[in-house]
Amino acid sequence: MPHPPLRSFGRIKSRVIKPRQAALMDSLLPQIRVPAEPFEPRTLMPEAAEVWLEIGFGGGEHMAAQAARRPDVLILGAEPFQNGVASALRHLDEQQLTNVRLKDGDARELVGHLPDGGLERVFILFPDPWPKARHHKRRLVQADLVAELARVLKPGGTLRFASDWADYVDWSLERFTASPDFRWTADRADDWRTPPADHVTTRYEEKRLGDCAPVFLDFVRA
């Protein structure tokens, strides 16, 4: 029996979840949780013009903002941190967003259940950097995930990676550019130093917990 992949995230819960958010975990989450087996995303929202995926949505601010901007897009979100899931549910409930479906667990399981070429866009924003060298094997961005993301993205689809840890930026750029399936779109330094026009800055990003200014890497599926 194959071993499950190493965890690419740390703790899954910290403080006690607030009562209102806990109630949403019991009521709203079961309604919008993605299936636990292979599925066709557009069956969840047949009228969707596109399907996007956010891997590790944190507190859900970015995901909710993108969903509000594009109500015609189905956004799949995956996050193992239960407090983050609870926070995201609050955003969805307050804004009455109906075009988001969630995986409260490892994003790699969700990606593995998606069909070939089923996505138009992927976001990986400020994932756990695992800065110590002995922990690099736990980083989310690995060659096998890059290959899986290439499988589920349609040709011409886009992927955005962002981090404020310089070594993780270099690590991820090396792995994506090593794949024949992805093309880095940057032509000049401002292309990765300046937040993209459609980026949504979150409270986590504003804390600047890394060792460099945020870097944004945009790729196109060849």
Side-chain angles (χ1 to χ4, degrees), residues 145-188:
L145 180 68
V146 172
E148 272 290 270
L149 293 176
R151 179 185 67 79
V152 299
L153 266 170
K154 66 186 298 184
T158 61
L159 183 148
R160 176 172 298 155
F161 173 90
S163 178
D164 53 3
W165 285 87
D167 178 67
Y168 201 5
V169 172
D170 292 341
W171 168 283
S172 300
L173 183 60
E174 179 181 345
R175 279 148 185 79
F176 278 109
T177 56
S179 168
D181 297 314
F182 286 100
R183 176 178 60 83
W184 188 27
T185 64
D187 293 319
R188 56 183 181 175

Side-chain angles (χ1 to χ4, degrees), residues 32-82:
I32 64 172
R33 182 182 276 130
V34 298
E37 62 279 328
F39 67 100
E40 167 52 60
R42 280 182 169 78
T43 61
L44 306 179
M45 183 177 163
E47 71 276 19
E50 297 183 3
V51 181
W52 298 358
L53 168 66
E54 182 163 347
I55 295 178
F57 55 72
E61 293 172 83
H62 175 273
M63 179 176 62
Q66 295 288 0
R69 287 176 176 176
R70 291 293 307 272
D72 61 321
V73 169
L74 170 63
I75 299 183
L76 309 177
E79 173 60 56
F81 187 52
Q82 294 300 289

Side-chain angles (χ1 to χ4, degrees), residues 184-196 215-218:
W184 188 27
T185 64
D187 293 319
R188 56 183 181 175
D190 280 353
D191 291 337
W192 66 82
R193 292 175 180 167
T194 303
V215 174
F216 301 88
L217 306 178
D218 279 349

Side-chain angles (χ1 to χ4, degrees), residues 10 14 16-17 20 24 42 46 66 97 102-103 121-122 132 138 152 201 211:
S14 59
V16 174
I17 296 174
R20 180 189 170 195
L24 291 172
R42 280 182 169 78
Q66 295 288 0
L97 299 171
L102 301 183
K103 162 74 173 178
R121 195 168 193 188
V122 174
K132 295 182 180 179
R138 293 188 178 274
V152 299
T201 302
D211 61 1

